[in-house]
Amino acid sequence: MGENARVAADYKGDYQELVDEISELLGAPATLENRDFELLAFGTYDSESELDASALDPVRTRSILTRRSTAGVRTWFEGFGITRATGPVRIPPSPEAGVYRGRICLPVRHRGVVVGYVWLLEGEPGPADDQLDAAMRVAGRIGALLADEAEAGAGLSRELRAVLTAEGGWQRDMAVAELRTALGPRADGPHTLICVAPWPSPDPDDAPSTRSVPHAAALCTIPWGTAAQSLAVLVRLRSTAVAAPALAAAGRVLEEAEGAWGVLGARGGSAAAPAEEGPEPGGSGTGTRGTSGKGTGGTSGRGAGGTSGKGARGAVPRGAGAAVAAAVAAGAAGAGRYGGGLGAAGFGGPAAGIGDPRTGLAELGTVWQEARAAAQAALAERHLGPVAQWRGIGPYRLLTSLPPESAQDPAAGPLLSPAHRELARTAEVYLDCAGQAGRTASELGIHRQTLYYRLNRVEQLTGLDLDDGEDRLLLHMALKRARL
């Protein structure tokens, strides 16, 4: 337990002191990054001129401002053998790579394994060999500290996993007590949980460090379904009313998942919907109103049934999960709220769900179920993702609580076959639009006559009356359920 309690300590101050010590030894500002090129600390600059872009270079500036380097920069530097080096490595400038000034890299190792890097910009005159030797000894102390943090964080991951996988009752109470002890005084503050699914690997070594995820107190992998994995992130909040820290953490972890899955290069188009049997009267676009009584004047006859397409939606922070969002915006044919068809994972990439905040740890089990449900909803409905909050997923708050093995309502069964995918989509949009024919036709880009024809076919297949509120509610929930 003593190792886990160390997680609650602020390692940043220790790293900063050691980086400042190296900067003083070498007479130049140093930066410290972990082995994933995430910035941990950087030395003090004596004047504003030293921070000028012309005195640094784009790679150095980006590292300080965003606290991380790109995958391309990482690959370029690793090409100089820094992962295998046991002493200082001098790297020449390369303007085409954005490296305008040469570097000295001090590999940070612990028990023969590289755990980070200390970087300095080359200057004239450069540091002497005895100065570099002294700096390498300090780098060894940094390596021990990084290893200590990694070991403590792994222990806390085990305790978080124990809380989230406990069956309940005294078992969960004991797991929560251990996690509370490990977190120390911070355990009594406001927290929430994030669920990112699917996560690419069950290996804890493949998960990001808590230091690289803003506001994260602990994280661990949890099974997702029968064969996949999800990532759970415990996030510290300033207040239960302020969601910004959780949104920032969700966006950061989504970036990690995107990088692992390579979603931008792998997204393809949605399959074309099978043809419906029989011709559909009317054409696409606008035109004369159909003669059916359903939806006269743009609204349904009786029984509003179902739920409106409008409602609270989980806010997505600008830039969070940007790659997934871009993939959706530029992706499959039919992209949009209803693209992909029923039963398709919403936007085809990883999604993040955020549970409602709680003060303390006693309700973490419930918060985790909320976070999982929000992630499920974001995977099912692309307009909810890539980051969805429990409070904003509408009917999926109820639908995700149903047992996975629960049967689909038999009335909706025929409509959910692949041959009737377009009819199912039409019915869902119609019900989302509260039975307003004008809105529905506009959303689908079809003539109203075509809409009325399709709705008649839906009634024939299901035996339901779309002018009856209870029948509409049943069909609406069955169609939403099918997305899960």
Side-chain angles (χ1 to χ4, degrees):
M1 189 63 66
E3 288 295 321
N4 293 339
R6 180 69 188 275
V7 175
D10 188 0
Y11 282 91
K12 185 175 180 180
D14 297 331
Y15 294 134
Q16 189 63 58
E17 290 176 7
L18 293 171
V19 167
D20 288 343
E21 186 175 341
I22 290 178
S23 298
E24 186 175 350
L25 280 170
L26 301 181
T31 60
L32 170 64
E33 296 177 336
N34 64 18
R35 64 182 178 185
D36 295 321
F37 282 61
E38 294 162 343
L39 185 68
L40 303 182
F42 60 91
T44 303
Y45 285 80
D46 295 330
S47 67
E48 290 187 7
S49 62
E50 289 183 295
L51 280 170
D52 184 77
S54 61
L56 301 173
D57 56 41
V59 170
R60 178 82 158 201
T61 303
R62 186 187 191 282
S63 174
I64 292 175
L65 293 179
T66 68
R67 306 194 71 84
R68 60 194 306 229
S69 296
T70 66
V73 167
R74 173 178 176 171
T75 301
W76 190 83
F77 279 118
E78 287 178 344
F80 290 91
I82 61 175
T83 60
R84 302 181 302 275
T86 57
V89 177
R90 283 185 161 84
I91 299 173
S94 176
E96 63 273 15
V99 180
Y100 295 166
R101 296 180 60 180
R103 302 287 202 276
I104 298 177
C105 175
L106 308 181
V108 177
R109 308 183 76 88
H110 181 73
R111 296 182 179 176
V113 177
V114 65
V115 292
Y117 307 98
V118 173
W119 299 93
L120 299 101
L121 295 177
E122 279 270 39
E124 292 294 340
D129 289 344
D130 59 336
Q131 291 176 296
L132 290 174
D133 289 342
M136 283 298 297
R137 288 192 290 272
V138 179
R141 289 156 54 197
I142 295 175
L145 193 64
L146 281 168
D148 180 35
E149 180 185 12
E151 183 179 351
L156 196 55
S157 295
R158 289 191 294 270
E159 293 182 15
L160 178 60
R161 186 181 297 108
V163 172
L164 303 185
T165 58
E167 294 181 357
W170 66 269
Q171 292 176 322
R172 175 162 289 165
D173 291 343
M174 296 230 359
V176 167
E178 292 182 1
L179 181 60
R180 181 180 294 112
T181 301
L183 288 171
R186 297 182 181 182
D188 296 326
H191 293 84
T192 191
L193 282 163
I194 297 169
C195 173
V196 177
W199 186 254
S201 172
D203 189 344
D205 290 339
D206 293 334
S209 69
T210 53
R211 176 170 292 281
S212 69
V213 180
H215 315 289
L219 50 81
C220 66
T221 54
I222 300 287
W224 178 266
T226 57
Q229 294 290 321
S230 64
L231 185 75
V233 184
L234 179 63
V235 178
R236 294 186 296 269
L237 303 174
R238 295 187 294 272
S239 162
T240 55
V242 178
L247 293 169
R252 176 67 182 86
V253 180
L254 267 183
E255 290 178 1
E256 292 279 347
E258 292 159 11
W261 285 113
V263 293
L264 284 179
R267 292 297 151 256
S270 299
E276 306 289 341
E277 55 280 21
E280 292 184 333
S284 61
T286 58
T288 313
R289 185 177 61 192
T291 57
S292 168
K294 209 180 268 64
T296 349
T299 58
S300 63
R302 60 185 171 83
T307 59
S308 166
K310 296 179 181 179
R313 301 300 179 204
V316 181
R318 186 171 182 84
V324 167
V328 175
R337 178 169 180 177
Y338 301 100
L342 292 175
F347 49 79
I354 303 174
D356 266 4
R358 306 290 202 283
T359 298
L361 307 178
E363 296 184 73
L364 277 189
T366 301
V367 180
W368 175 239
Q369 294 306 316
E370 294 172 353
R372 281 179 58 92
Q376 279 185 277
L379 288 169
E381 292 268 21
R382 63 180 65 183
H383 75 281
L384 292 176
V387 179
Q389 299 180 72
W390 160 255
R391 65 187 63 177
I393 62 174
Y396 287 102
R397 292 168 62 162
L398 173 64
L399 295 174
T400 52
S401 66
L402 298 175
E405 66 276 6
S406 60
Q408 184 60 262
D409 189 273
L415 190 61
L416 297 174
S417 68
H420 301 305
R421 182 172 298 169
E422 193 60 41
L423 285 179
R425 177 171 175 263
T426 299
E428 185 180 13
V429 176
Y430 176 70
L431 294 168
D432 281 348
C433 291
Q436 297 181 28
R439 284 179 56 199
T440 306
S442 176
E443 183 80 39
L444 293 171
I446 60 176
H447 193 284
R448 285 198 188 188
Q449 186 79 2
T450 303
L451 172 63
Y452 299 141
Y453 171 80
R454 291 184 183 179
L455 294 177
N456 285 331
R457 290 285 295 122
V458 169
E459 290 184 328
Q460 292 170 13
L461 284 169
T462 63
L464 299 175
D465 180 2
L466 293 182
D467 280 339
D468 182 81
E470 290 189 0
D471 280 3
R472 289 169 65 171
L473 178 61
L474 172 62
L475 181 59
H476 205 179
M477 293 299 97
L479 292 172
K480 295 298 184 186
R481 169 68 171 160
R483 288 185 173 274
L484 297 174

